Amino acid sequence: MHDDLIAKASAWLAEDPDQETRDELAKLIDAGDVTELSARFSGTLQFGTAGLRGELGAGPMRMNRSVVIRAAAGLAAYLTKNGGTGGLVVVGYDARHKSADFARDTAAVMTGAGLRAAVLPRPLPTPVLAFAIRHLGAVAGVEVTASHNPPRDNGYKVYLGDGSQIVPPADAEIAAEIDAIARLDDVPRPESGWQTLDESVLEAYLARTDAVLAPGSPRTARTVYTAMHGVGKDVLLAAFARAGFPEPVLVAEQAEPDPDFPTVAFPNPEEPGAMDLSFAQARATRPDLIIANDPDADRCAVAVRDGADWRMLRGDEVGALLAAHLVRRGATGVFAESIVSSSLLGRIAEKAGLPYVETLTGFKWIARVDGLRYGYEEALGYCVDPEGVRDKDGITAALLITELASVLKEDGRTLLDLLDDLAVEHGLHATDQLSVRVQDLSLIADAMRRLREQPPTELAGLAITEAEDLTRGTAELPPTDGLRYTLDGARVIVRPSGTEPKLKCYLEVVVPAPDHAALPAAHTRATDLLAAIKRDLSAAAGI
């Protein structure tokens, strides 16, 4: 076993084009570090509907240039077999460690495979890449990013020519092409021949951002903004300046790209502590709202003053606010969300006489909805300009929520006032998440098996009226690994995360509130119910 492992690692080392990972791997081989070598050579990073994502380092179970070159070659082979010969592939990248190298490798592989490649001019938000695919008539796009993952990670996200992320069966077909690549040395990688795009692609994206706002709408709301050490700042500031909003006050410590994310444990606005610097800035400057992007700026977080201090709005709250705003502006078309998001969107759409669709988790599904006008997901993702960007876009979402805050400000009202109105009109829809991060992935499989074999009959004293195993699919949804429980006045979905070692449970309760005076009691009831559901679900899943 030991000799076999050393032989595998040595063969990998012989082909590795990156001096940094070569040195790292050579040290492990010299030291005979069986534990670490086993972790890196126990298989290969699996290419799926999220593309690739993993920890940086040497070996097939890590993100590195060898893995990326194979992924690019597999994608190129897939595109060539599916009529993309000679087509354009656009490549974007964020400011993480190795992102620029991975983008350059991808462009070289595409060029060597007889496709045309164009790389964005510098690290830019993921939505700019998603926009560029359709704007330039590309057959595919690649974004090198690990979004809001920890600093040690990187990733590789693939879009096809319709501008949305890959879904089955394309992911499995690309994975099969990647597996078919025997030797890295057989993959042609010329030194040049691809195009580096100029600023015109960014200008075209910014010109589209104007379209999300209503002509002549108020633009008075003042914001504090954090880029969370990512690539959002320059593009967001340019979009806000074009729109005529007051210039956002920056959280200086997090404004510039930094792949080490020094001020946050996880560069995700949803994680505890990530917004602390923003709150401190807001206490000092008293804006109308706080806007945060995640590091690749496809997500948008919003925080508001609530009583004496500031609080983050949940993704479901922002999702409902944007929907209500678009309805008020007379938007037509389909409103869509994933099954893990709040059912309030369906109520808003129904009352407005608009079609509404539920999809599987992820914008790869939401963006594919026919006739989409607006789509959102509870994990801070909003698609407010599907004609421009068929993916979540934290820049245009920031513009739209700031427009809504401006409209309300003119009437002496706030985002929280509108949320209260929606609760009275449709019932208080309160959501929460039980999320368990694991080192050992088998714990997630065990929890799912336990729930399937011994499903709970009630949670928080509420009877489960329907229990669905989503692996079988439904009339509306293709199969996925998940469980959905419908309760009297509540809903629970349990699923393994597609991008992180987490088991995620999405909880929603709906508590009637006949008038504004009833809201405090409704909030208390909802908080108590959510806590009890969490407790009972934890026990049932054994987590």
Side-chain angles (χ1 to χ4, degrees):
M1 168 63 195
H2 176 261
D3 291 346
D4 184 40
L5 190 58
I6 296 294
K8 260 191 199 172
S10 301
W12 183 274
L13 177 65
E15 287 196 324
D16 191 338
D18 188 329
Q19 193 59 48
E20 195 176 328
T21 43
R22 285 173 65 83
D23 292 347
E24 181 189 319
L25 187 53
K27 272 185 193 157
L28 293 175
I29 294 170
D30 291 345
D33 189 336
V34 173
T35 306
E36 189 59 30
L37 288 171
S38 296
R40 290 157 183 257
F41 287 86
S42 58
T44 56
L45 271 188
Q46 287 307 297
F47 186 92
T49 49
L52 293 167
R53 202 177 285 188
E55 192 175 336
L56 289 162
M61 287 297 287
R62 298 285 184 268
M63 282 296 295
N64 52 62
R65 290 184 58 200
S66 299
V67 163
V68 164
I69 289 164
R70 286 174 184 278
L75 174 60
Y78 168 85
L79 292 171
T80 302
K81 280 187 184 174
N82 286 274
T85 308
L88 176 69
V89 178
V90 194
V91 185
Y93 58 104
D94 66 11
R96 283 177 179 267
H97 294 296
K98 299 281 185 190
S99 287
D101 294 342
F102 295 168
R104 179 188 163 85
D105 282 331
T106 300
V109 170
M110 295 302 160
T111 305
L115 291 142
R116 292 179 296 125
V119 183
L120 293 184
R122 60 178 181 281
L124 285 167
T126 294
V128 177
L129 181 275
F131 165 81
I133 294 164
R134 299 182 70 214
H135 177 66
L136 298 172
V139 295
V142 170
E143 176 70 18
V144 180
T145 181
S147 189
H148 56 272
N149 275 39
R152 64 177 182 270
D153 290 359
N154 212 328
Y156 198 80
K157 189 184 279 195
V158 175
Y159 299 75
L160 293 181
D162 60 358
S164 31
Q165 297 172 52
I166 52 166
V167 293
D171 56 342
E173 291 169 14
I174 295 168
E177 296 292 349
I178 295 169
D179 291 344
I181 290 150
R183 294 173 62 246
L184 215 56
D185 295 343
D186 296 338
V187 178
R189 301 199 308 279
E191 291 292 310
S192 62
W194 58 89
Q195 179 187 7
T196 300
L197 294 165
D198 60 20
E199 296 300 307
S200 62
V201 69
L202 180 58
E203 275 304 309
Y205 169 81
L206 286 168
R208 274 239 41 124
T209 64
D210 301 345
V212 305
L213 301 174
S217 63
R219 312 275 165 96
T220 54
R222 294 180 309 110
T223 54
V224 157
Y225 172 71
T226 177
M228 207 64 71
H229 299 297
V231 298
K233 181 197 69 163
D234 291 347
V235 178
L236 182 127
L237 289 181
F240 270 57
R242 288 178 69 103
F245 287 112
E247 185 175 346
V249 175
L250 299 178
V251 177
E253 302 94 325
Q254 298 175 335
E256 299 303 327
D258 187 332
D260 293 319
F261 305 106
T263 68
V264 288
F266 282 92
N268 176 356
E270 292 182 292
E271 292 282 348
M275 296 290 286
D276 287 357
L277 289 169
S278 303
F279 292 163
Q281 181 66 269
R283 289 180 202 116
T285 53
R286 302 182 67 82
D288 297 300
L289 70 164
I290 298 170
I291 299 284
N293 285 138
D294 68 338
D296 69 327
D298 62 352
R299 288 175 168 80
C300 175
V302 180
V304 295
R305 194 174 182 83
D306 187 5
D309 207 357
W310 289 79
R311 81 162 170 96
M312 264 265 293
L313 294 179
R314 301 191 73 85
D316 284 317
E317 292 176 309
V318 177
L321 287 168
L322 291 174
H325 183 44
L326 289 170
V327 165
R328 184 168 169 252
R329 277 183 24 186
T332 57
V334 181
F335 280 29
E337 65 180 342
S338 64
I339 55 172
V340 298
S341 306
S342 170
S343 58
L344 178 54
L345 183 68
R347 306 261 179 112
I348 292 170
E350 184 182 18
K351 178 139 192 199
L354 294 173
Y356 162 77
V357 172
E358 260 190 336
T359 73
L360 291 184
T361 312
F363 268 83
K364 57 184 178 278
W365 298 107
I366 295 170
R368 285 187 147 66
V369 168
D370 280 343
L372 182 67
R373 173 59 187 87
Y374 169 65
Y376 98 90
E377 188 155 76
E378 54 70 48
L380 311 182
Y382 313 94
C383 175
V384 300
D385 175 27
E387 284 307 301
V389 176
R390 288 198 179 164
D391 198 5
K392 52 189 178 291
D393 182 347
I395 306 294
T396 48
L399 287 170
L400 197 62
I401 198 74
T402 308
E403 178 184 60
L404 172 57
S406 301
V407 169
L408 292 165
K409 185 179 180 178
E410 299 289 294
D411 296 334
R413 304 175 75 236
T414 68
L415 296 173
L416 291 180
D417 293 328
L418 180 52
L419 281 173
D420 284 349
D421 292 350
L422 292 171
V424 171
E425 189 174 358
H426 303 288
L428 174 65
H429 288 61
T431 55
D432 203 355
Q433 198 180 114
L434 171 62
S435 184
V436 184
R437 185 181 289 271
V438 298
Q439 291 292 310
D440 179 359
L441 285 173
S442 70
L443 295 173
I444 293 176
D446 289 347
M448 294 298 288
R449 187 175 64 246
R450 194 176 289 114
L451 288 170
R452 285 189 170 106
E453 289 173 0
Q454 298 169 299
T457 54
E458 63 169 43
L459 296 167
L462 303 174
I464 291 176
T465 56
E466 187 177 13
E468 297 168 276
D469 186 341
L470 298 175
T471 49
R472 301 188 183 110
T474 71
E476 296 81 30
L477 300 169
T480 186
D481 186 9
L483 299 163
R484 177 162 60 181
Y485 302 119
T486 305
L487 297 86
D488 189 15
R491 182 219 64 200
V492 172
I493 289 172
V494 184
R495 60 180 281 274
S497 168
T499 55
E500 297 175 274
K502 280 182 173 180
L503 182 68
K504 290 185 163 182
C505 311
Y506 304 84
L507 325 174
E508 179 178 42
V509 299
V510 183
V511 179
D515 53 37
H516 282 74
L519 282 172
H523 277 286
T524 302
R525 167 77 175 146
T527 302
D528 292 347
L529 275 175
L530 287 169
I533 291 173
K534 260 190 190 179
R535 183 194 64 228
D536 292 355
L537 188 61
S538 288
I543 51 176

